[in-house]
Amino acid sequence: MYPGGVDPRGHYLVLGAKARAALAGRPHVSLKDVQSVAYPVLRHRIVTNFQAESAGIKSDQIIARLLESVKPPASGL
């Protein structure tokens, strides 16, 4: 297990989102920052099985569904 309870992909997802926010001159990370780095961070780790492949489901579609299920915080980030 990765220290802190998150595997390296989770860690890099957070770091990528922080970097994107910093490059935009913002001191905080938004949901859009996380969404923008999710594809490059997770794409190569999501492997579809035969059933998904035969249905034409790609890893990007799975990531999109995951991101759609995340609701923004009440503060409107």
Side-chain angles (χ1 to χ4, degrees):
M1 184 166 188
Y2 194 76
V6 177
D7 74 350
R9 266 112 7 234
H11 183 70
Y12 293 130
L13 187 66
V14 171
L15 286 177
K18 285 181 176 183
R20 187 174 187 271
L23 289 170
R26 288 181 281 109
H28 65 280
V29 173
S30 71
L31 181 57
K32 289 185 189 274
D33 294 319
V34 174
Q35 291 170 336
S36 71
V37 299
Y39 289 93
V41 170
L42 300 175
R43 181 180 289 132
H44 70 285
R45 295 300 300 171
I46 296 178
V47 179
T48 55
N49 62 14
F50 176 76
Q51 186 176 3
E53 286 183 29
S54 65
I57 298 171
K58 306 288 184 199
S59 60
D60 280 3
Q61 292 170 297
I62 296 169
I63 296 168
R65 286 187 66 187
L66 287 169
L67 293 176
E68 288 170 5
S69 70
V70 176
K71 302 296 180 218
S75 63
L77 294 177

